[in-house]
Amino acid sequence: MAKMKLRYFPDPVLKQKTKRITTFDSSVRKLAQDMLDTMYANDGVGLAAPQVGVSKKIMVIDVTAGDDEDDRRNPIVFINPVIIESEGEMVGQEGCLSFPGVFFEVKRARRIVVRYQNLAGKELKLEAADNLLCRAIQHEMDHLEGELFIDKASSALQRDLEMTKHGFMEGDVEELEQQVKAAGGTIKLHANEPVIG
Ligand code: NI
């Protein structure tokens, strides 16, 4: 088991576009395993390579991680993923391993079909709709484009409050809380939210 060092916002690697993987060798398998080890160790359900400082198109997801003490592990490794179908909308809370403690609502497609390659280089397709897997795929794919969930918040105020509370932005937490209340938003507690990664 090899844990990698997580990169946190505003590490510039998080803003870089990643490169396609063209060689499916043991170094890619090792990277995938190290990313999974890192994801499980940090209680995430997903992790994209830029979050461990690697600018390549690979991400891992396991929505069963953390279900139980032994984690019913069912990991999926996505290499060079592309969304080939997308429809509808769903809004839900997201967290990210590169922003510890921060949660807010993000709008995503309700149903997607993603085409990707596995560790053997084989092309596969996966459909996901109305669930955490569907949300996690979209969140991690954004990381591969150098895009972050802070640019997709449903409410900028709610995001700013969370970012300020957790030290990613300068500001007055009380004042932001008042603004969120005034705007009709609720100030939520996020004790049991899954951290997508
Ligand atoms: Ni993330």
Side-chain angles (χ1 to χ4, degrees), residues 148-162:
L148 298 169
F149 77 149
I150 47 173
D151 297 318
K152 303 204 165 178
S154 296
S155 157
L157 260 179
Q158 189 89 49
R159 174 201 62 203
D160 290 353
L161 171 60
E162 284 284 302

Side-chain angles (χ1 to χ4, degrees), residues 60-150:
V60 296
I61 293 177
D62 186 349
V63 292
T64 69
D67 270 6
D68 210 50
E69 284 170 20
D70 283 325
D71 291 342
R72 286 194 344 249
R73 293 189 176 179
N74 186 24
I76 310 174
V77 178
F78 296 85
I79 297 173
N80 304 324
V82 180
I83 288 179
I84 54 173
E85 283 181 43
S86 167
E87 65 176 307
E89 273 180 19
M90 61 176 186
V91 175
Q93 295 273 341
E94 290 185 17
C96 178
L97 289 174
S98 296
F99 297 79
V102 174
F103 292 90
F104 50 79
E105 288 189 334
V106 180
K107 192 191 286 177
R108 299 287 183 187
R110 189 191 66 75
R111 174 185 164 273
I112 56 168
V113 178
V114 60
R115 187 180 66 211
Y116 64 101
Q117 286 168 282
N118 67 9
L119 284 168
K122 187 181 174 195
E123 277 215 351
L124 299 167
K125 273 187 204 171
L126 180 69
E127 179 178 352
D130 290 311
N131 57 20
L132 182 57
L133 178 61
C134 183
R135 179 169 294 282
I137 291 169
Q138 294 175 72
H139 179 110
E140 302 312 336
M141 282 188 67
D142 276 355
H143 276 299
L144 301 182
E145 298 304 316
E147 291 172 15
L148 298 169
F149 77 149
I150 47 173

